[in-house]
Amino acid sequence: MTGHRAGPAAEPAGADTAQERLRRWRLVLGGDPADGTGHALCGRDAAMDGALTSLYGKGDAPRAGRDRAAGLGASAPAVARWLGDIRTYFPSSVVQVMQRDAIDRLGLATLLLEPEMLEAVEADVHLVGTLLSLNQAMPETTKETARAVVRKVVDDLEKRLATRTRAALTGALDRSARTGRPRHHDIDWDRTIAANLKHYLPEHRTIVPERLVGYGRASRSVKKEVVLCLDQSGSMAASVVYSSVFGAVLASLRAIDTRLVVFDTAVVDLTDQLDDPVDVLFGTRLGGGTDINRALAYCHSRITRPAETVVVLISDLYEGGIRDEMLKRVAAMQAAGVRFVPLLALSDEGTPSYDRDHAAALAALGAPAFACTPDLFPEVMAAAIERRPLPIPDAG
């Protein structure tokens, strides 16, 4: 039986329904004698089937429409041709899935160390994670190309996420700095009117405000401290990519003092590289063990104003350090006034595998752990800064 195959292209206009159904099943099943469709492919469909068979077909199966055998082999030119084929026949989202499957199923990660291969791939977050895991083995001739690939992905993510993040956090900072005794030019008139509607005088057609609502000057000095404490074990690759981008965006806000700490069994402070997420990413080292307690101890030692600090731990919570000490560390930070936010992942991949016992222990301390998508992260941070309930997704 063949492996799971990517779906075919959209149904052509006016195609016979029965024949189109057979065509789709033939592309999905892969053409083995037992597929039962009896449907022959030609032209573009045959080429699509060949690209699918190379990845998902049996090793000795013929490649429909071509004389080449199935499988990509270990040849960089053959893989580069295949990458060109799938980009021709499938949309970008499907190409990214097929690339991931090729790396996982056929062991092609080492081929990414060749510059010509990197130039042929469709860049995405998962590819960046793979490149970071290969960073230590990457030859100098490849590193420049790899940085260009990573730069493209990071720039695309910043365009997607930066504006919304800055807007959400600027609003949160303004609201958290609001004062009841503002100077005249700091009065928030919309909220002042709303707060005093009950004092409306119909005979004078005016409101007599008994309580003024105003903004503090959050933009003129650092009002909040944010510590991103990031697990860089191999399973956290996508989270590392997104965290580096968000770290750079947070660091660009003058009213937030941002610190980025990455860890495995060692702890590295990358705060001085936050102006360039690509430098942050190449400063990480995916893989290795995990010592959350040690990382939190370092973060705790750098907190100067606990009541104005948010610590975000991004980890699957598989602790290799001292569990009880880790929990005591979290409890101590919270008792001092720190807002502690544990995220199991910062990615679009859904709920990851994680240590449920440690998650339950954190929940008992009033810090429930949850997976967070990049689109939700600005809202999570805004809520944390304002010290209101976090928008935790439903577990179901």
Side-chain angles (χ1 to χ4, degrees):
M1 180 177 178
T2 60
H4 176 71
R5 298 161 63 92
E11 179 178 348
D16 176 80
T17 303
Q19 284 300 310
E20 178 61 17
R21 186 178 296 114
L22 286 174
R23 168 184 171 269
R24 287 171 176 263
W25 275 113
R26 167 63 183 80
L27 284 166
V28 170
L29 295 173
D32 284 349
D35 75 10
T37 64
H39 187 84
L41 299 176
C42 60
R44 183 182 177 88
D45 283 349
M48 289 172 58
D49 188 65
L52 291 165
T53 298
S54 292
L55 177 56
Y56 300 109
K58 293 181 179 178
D60 56 354
R63 196 174 167 185
R66 306 276 181 96
D67 293 331
R68 283 185 284 175
L72 300 179
S75 164
V79 176
R81 284 194 297 270
W82 178 79
L83 287 168
D85 286 347
I86 64 174
R87 291 172 75 170
T88 298
Y89 303 129
F90 301 96
S92 177
S93 58
V94 175
V95 169
Q96 292 171 7
V97 172
M98 293 178 73
Q99 284 180 173
R100 233 175 296 156
D101 287 347
I103 292 169
D104 294 341
R105 293 166 63 93
L106 303 180
L108 299 182
T110 54
L111 288 179
L112 295 176
L113 300 179
E114 302 184 26
E116 62 269 25
M117 275 290 296
L118 284 179
E119 292 170 355
V121 294
E122 185 86 14
D124 68 347
V125 169
H126 303 282
L127 177 64
V128 170
T130 301
L131 291 177
L132 296 179
S133 69
L134 297 171
N135 186 29
Q136 301 302 314
M138 194 175 291
E140 289 300 322
T141 54
T142 304
K143 286 188 176 181
E144 184 176 347
T145 307
R147 286 185 72 91
V149 171
V150 173
R151 174 75 62 191
K152 179 181 183 302
V153 174
V154 166
D155 288 348
D156 289 346
L157 289 177
E158 282 192 301
K159 289 176 184 176
R160 168 188 157 194
L161 301 170
T163 300
R164 180 179 176 187
T165 302
R166 291 191 182 102
L169 296 190
T170 299
L173 289 164
D174 284 342
R175 288 188 292 273
S176 67
R178 198 168 288 145
T179 174
R181 299 180 63 184
R183 288 173 290 187
H184 184 269
H185 53 280
D186 286 333
I187 295 174
D188 181 345
W189 287 108
D190 288 341
R191 287 182 170 82
T192 295
I193 292 171
N196 290 277
L197 286 175
K198 61 183 177 182
H199 303 303
Y200 178 69
L201 301 178
E203 62 276 19
H204 298 290
R205 302 182 64 184
T206 190
I207 291 173
V208 178
E210 291 190 359
R211 181 169 68 89
L212 299 177
V213 180
Y215 293 119
R217 296 185 174 273
S219 62
R220 294 194 178 183
S221 62
V222 173
K223 294 293 184 182
K224 299 292 180 181
E225 297 181 10
V226 173
V227 181
L228 299 179
C229 186
L230 176 59
D231 183 344
Q232 61 177 351
S233 58
S235 61
M236 303 295 294
S239 296
V240 169
V241 177
Y242 283 115
S243 296
S244 70
V245 173
F246 278 118
V249 174
L250 292 173
S252 71
L253 297 172
R254 290 182 299 170
I256 297 180
D257 186 6
T258 305
R259 183 176 295 275
L260 177 63
V261 176
V262 299
F263 68 94
D264 43 33
T265 53
V267 179
V268 179
D269 193 326
L270 297 178
T271 302
D272 61 351
Q273 299 178 34
L274 275 175
D275 58 333
D276 188 344
V278 176
D279 285 344
V280 169
L281 288 171
F282 279 94
T284 62
R285 184 184 61 190
L286 290 177
T290 307
D291 193 337
I292 302 173
N293 176 56
R294 186 174 184 179
L296 291 180
Y298 176 84
C299 294
H300 195 184
S301 71
R302 295 300 186 272
I303 295 173
T304 58
R305 298 182 300 132
E308 303 298 333
T309 299
V310 177
V311 173
V312 183
L313 172 66
I314 305 172
S315 172
D316 54 17
L317 302 180
Y318 287 109
E319 170 66 317
I322 305 173
R323 176 184 186 273
D324 290 343
E325 287 297 318
M326 175 191 76
L327 296 175
K328 288 179 182 177
R329 193 86 56 190
V330 173
M333 284 193 285
Q334 290 183 312
V338 173
R339 184 71 186 269
F340 184 78
V341 181
L343 300 181
L344 302 172
L346 179 54
S347 74
D348 288 309
E349 298 176 337
T351 303
S353 171
Y354 64 96
D355 189 305
R356 296 181 181 275
D357 289 340
H358 289 162
L362 288 175
L365 293 175
F370 59 98
C372 179
T373 65
D375 288 336
L376 181 63
F377 187 71
E379 187 178 346
V380 168
M381 289 305 302
I385 285 172
E386 293 184 64
R387 294 188 172 269
R388 54 182 170 83
L390 300 178
I392 299 176
D394 292 334

